[in-house]
PDB file of all heavy atoms in Angstrom:
ATOM      1  N   MET A 282      28.314-156.126 -72.298  1.00 96.00           N
ATOM      2  CA  MET A 282      27.586-156.843 -73.350  1.00 96.00           C
ATOM      3  C   MET A 282      27.881-158.346 -73.277  1.00 96.00           C
ATOM      4  O   MET A 282      26.997-159.183 -73.433  1.00 96.00           O
ATOM      5  CB  MET A 282      27.955-156.307 -74.726  1.00 96.00           C
ATOM      6  CG  MET A 282      26.922-155.301 -75.227  1.00 96.00           C
ATOM      7  SD  MET A 282      27.567-154.136 -76.403  1.00 96.00           S
ATOM      8  CE  MET A 282      28.213-155.190 -77.674  1.00 96.00           C
ATOM      9  N   GLU A 283      29.123-158.663 -73.001  1.00 96.00           N
ATOM     10  CA  GLU A 283      29.522-160.069 -72.920  1.00 96.00           C
ATOM     11  C   GLU A 283      28.876-160.740 -71.697  1.00 96.00           C
ATOM     12  O   GLU A 283      28.432-161.891 -71.761  1.00 96.00           O
ATOM     13  CB  GLU A 283      31.062-160.134 -72.853  1.00 96.00           C
ATOM     14  CG  GLU A 283      31.671-161.501 -72.916  1.00 96.00           C
ATOM     15  CD  GLU A 283      31.210-162.353 -74.108  1.00 96.00           C
ATOM     16  OE1 GLU A 283      30.857-161.794 -75.157  1.00 96.00           O
ATOM     17  OE2 GLU A 283      31.180-163.594 -73.948  1.00 96.00           O
ATOM     18  N   ALA A 284      28.798-159.993 -70.585  1.00 95.00           N
ATOM     19  CA  ALA A 284      28.178-160.550 -69.368  1.00 95.00           C
ATOM     20  C   ALA A 284      26.684-160.799 -69.601  1.00 95.00           C
ATOM     21  O   ALA A 284      26.128-161.794 -69.144  1.00 95.00           O
ATOM     22  CB  ALA A 284      28.373-159.596 -68.191  1.00 95.00           C
ATOM     23  N   VAL A 285      26.048-159.905 -70.344  1.00 95.00           N
ATOM     24  CA  VAL A 285      24.625-160.080 -70.665  1.00 95.00           C
ATOM     25  C   VAL A 285      24.469-161.335 -71.531  1.00 95.00           C
ATOM     26  O   VAL A 285      23.616-162.182 -71.291  1.00 95.00           O
ATOM     27  CB  VAL A 285      24.054-158.832 -71.389  1.00 95.00           C
ATOM     28  CG1 VAL A 285      22.665-159.100 -71.939  1.00 95.00           C
ATOM     29  CG2 VAL A 285      24.033-157.635 -70.438  1.00 95.00           C
ATOM     30  N   ARG A 286      25.364-161.471 -72.506  1.00 93.00           N
ATOM     31  CA  ARG A 286      25.298-162.632 -73.407  1.00 93.00           C
ATOM     32  C   ARG A 286      25.526-163.937 -72.622  1.00 93.00           C
ATOM     33  O   ARG A 286      24.880-164.944 -72.845  1.00 93.00           O
ATOM     34  CB  ARG A 286      26.376-162.475 -74.488  1.00 93.00           C
ATOM     35  CG  ARG A 286      26.125-163.303 -75.734  1.00 93.00           C
ATOM     36  CD  ARG A 286      27.362-163.391 -76.601  1.00 93.00           C
ATOM     37  NE  ARG A 286      28.518-163.890 -75.891  1.00 93.00           N
ATOM     38  CZ  ARG A 286      28.724-165.158 -75.580  1.00 93.00           C
ATOM     39  NH1 ARG A 286      27.849-166.073 -75.920  1.00 93.00           N
ATOM     40  NH2 ARG A 286      29.811-165.519 -74.915  1.00 93.00           N
ATOM     41  N   LYS A 287      26.433-163.873 -71.661  1.00 91.00           N
ATOM     42  CA  LYS A 287      26.764-165.052 -70.863  1.00 91.00           C
ATOM     43  C   LYS A 287      25.614-165.468 -69.941  1.00 91.00           C
ATOM     44  O   LYS A 287      25.507-166.608 -69.525  1.00 91.00           O
ATOM     45  CB  LYS A 287      28.004-164.693 -70.028  1.00 91.00           C
ATOM     46  CG  LYS A 287      28.731-165.845 -69.395  1.00 91.00           C
ATOM     47  CD  LYS A 287      29.990-165.288 -68.718  1.00 91.00           C
ATOM     48  CE  LYS A 287      30.524-166.178 -67.629  1.00 91.00           C
ATOM     49  NZ  LYS A 287      31.149-167.394 -68.118  1.00 91.00           N
ATOM     50  N   GLY A 288      24.735-164.495 -69.623  1.00 88.00           N
ATOM     51  CA  GLY A 288      23.542-164.836 -68.840  1.00 88.00           C
ATOM     52  C   GLY A 288      23.702-164.670 -67.339  1.00 88.00           C
ATOM     53  O   GLY A 288      22.912-165.205 -66.569  1.00 88.00           O
ATOM     54  N   CYS A 289      24.727-163.913 -66.907  1.00 90.00           N
ATOM     55  CA  CYS A 289      24.864-163.740 -65.455  1.00 90.00           C
ATOM     56  C   CYS A 289      24.323-162.380 -64.994  1.00 90.00           C
ATOM     57  O   CYS A 289      24.052-162.181 -63.812  1.00 90.00           O
ATOM     58  CB  CYS A 289      26.310-163.922 -64.999  1.00 90.00           C
ATOM     59  SG  CYS A 289      27.503-162.875 -65.823  1.00 90.00           S
ATOM     60  N   ALA A 290      24.146-161.452 -65.928  1.00 92.00           N
ATOM     61  CA  ALA A 290      23.754-160.090 -65.527  1.00 92.00           C
ATOM     62  C   ALA A 290      22.270-160.005 -65.186  1.00 92.00           C
ATOM     63  O   ALA A 290      21.458-160.825 -65.611  1.00 92.00           O
ATOM     64  CB  ALA A 290      24.078-159.121 -66.666  1.00 92.00           C
ATOM     65  N   GLU A 291      21.936-158.992 -64.397  1.00 91.00           N
ATOM     66  CA  GLU A 291      20.536-158.678 -64.114  1.00 91.00           C
ATOM     67  C   GLU A 291      19.879-158.187 -65.409  1.00 91.00           C
ATOM     68  O   GLU A 291      20.565-157.799 -66.354  1.00 91.00           O
ATOM     69  CB  GLU A 291      20.445-157.566 -63.063  1.00 91.00           C
ATOM     70  CG  GLU A 291      20.962-157.941 -61.692  1.00 91.00           C
ATOM     71  CD  GLU A 291      20.149-159.027 -61.023  1.00 91.00           C
ATOM     72  OE1 GLU A 291      18.918-158.912 -60.998  1.00 91.00           O
ATOM     73  OE2 GLU A 291      20.746-160.000 -60.531  1.00 91.00           O
ATOM     74  N   LYS A 292      18.548-158.164 -65.406  1.00 90.00           N
ATOM     75  CA  LYS A 292      17.810-157.647 -66.573  1.00 90.00           C
ATOM     76  C   LYS A 292      18.328-156.244 -66.912  1.00 90.00           C
ATOM     77  O   LYS A 292      18.527-155.907 -68.066  1.00 90.00           O
ATOM     78  CB  LYS A 292      16.333-157.582 -66.201  1.00 90.00           C
ATOM     79  CG  LYS A 292      15.404-157.749 -67.349  1.00 90.00           C
ATOM     80  CD  LYS A 292      14.002-157.920 -66.816  1.00 90.00           C
ATOM     81  CE  LYS A 292      12.979-157.982 -67.891  1.00 90.00           C
ATOM     82  NZ  LYS A 292      11.640-158.103 -67.316  1.00 90.00           N
ATOM     83  N   ASP A 293      18.536-155.447 -65.866  1.00 94.00           N
ATOM     84  CA  ASP A 293      19.187-154.151 -66.040  1.00 94.00           C
ATOM     85  C   ASP A 293      20.612-154.292 -65.499  1.00 94.00           C
ATOM     86  O   ASP A 293      20.835-154.217 -64.287  1.00 94.00           O
ATOM     87  CB  ASP A 293      18.420-153.077 -65.243  1.00 94.00           C
ATOM     88  CG  ASP A 293      19.140-151.746 -65.285  1.00 94.00           C
ATOM     89  OD1 ASP A 293      20.187-151.649 -65.967  1.00 94.00           O
ATOM     90  OD2 ASP A 293      18.671-150.802 -64.620  1.00 94.00           O
ATOM     91  N   PRO A 294      21.603-154.472 -66.377  1.00 96.00           N
ATOM     92  CA  PRO A 294      22.965-154.756 -65.906  1.00 96.00           C
ATOM     93  C   PRO A 294      23.594-153.617 -65.091  1.00 96.00           C
ATOM     94  O   PRO A 294      24.589-153.828 -64.392  1.00 96.00           O
ATOM     95  CB  PRO A 294      23.763-155.018 -67.188  1.00 96.00           C
ATOM     96  CG  PRO A 294      22.902-154.593 -68.309  1.00 96.00           C
ATOM     97  CD  PRO A 294      21.497-154.496 -67.839  1.00 96.00           C
ATOM     98  N   LEU A 295      22.967-152.435 -65.152  1.00 96.00           N
ATOM     99  CA  LEU A 295      23.512-151.339 -64.339  1.00 96.00           C
ATOM    100  C   LEU A 295      23.405-151.659 -62.850  1.00 96.00           C
ATOM    101  O   LEU A 295      24.185-151.179 -62.032  1.00 96.00           O
ATOM    102  CB  LEU A 295      22.786-150.029 -64.650  1.00 96.00           C
ATOM    103  CG  LEU A 295      23.045-149.460 -66.048  1.00 96.00           C
ATOM    104  CD1 LEU A 295      22.344-148.128 -66.214  1.00 96.00           C
ATOM    105  CD2 LEU A 295      24.546-149.311 -66.301  1.00 96.00           C
TER     106      LEU A 295
END
Side-chain angles (χ1 to χ4, degrees):
M282 262 155 57
E283 186 53 28
V285 170
R286 200 195 55 77
K287 195 175 158 72
C289 55
E291 294 295 311
K292 209 170 175 182
D293 174 3
L295 292 183

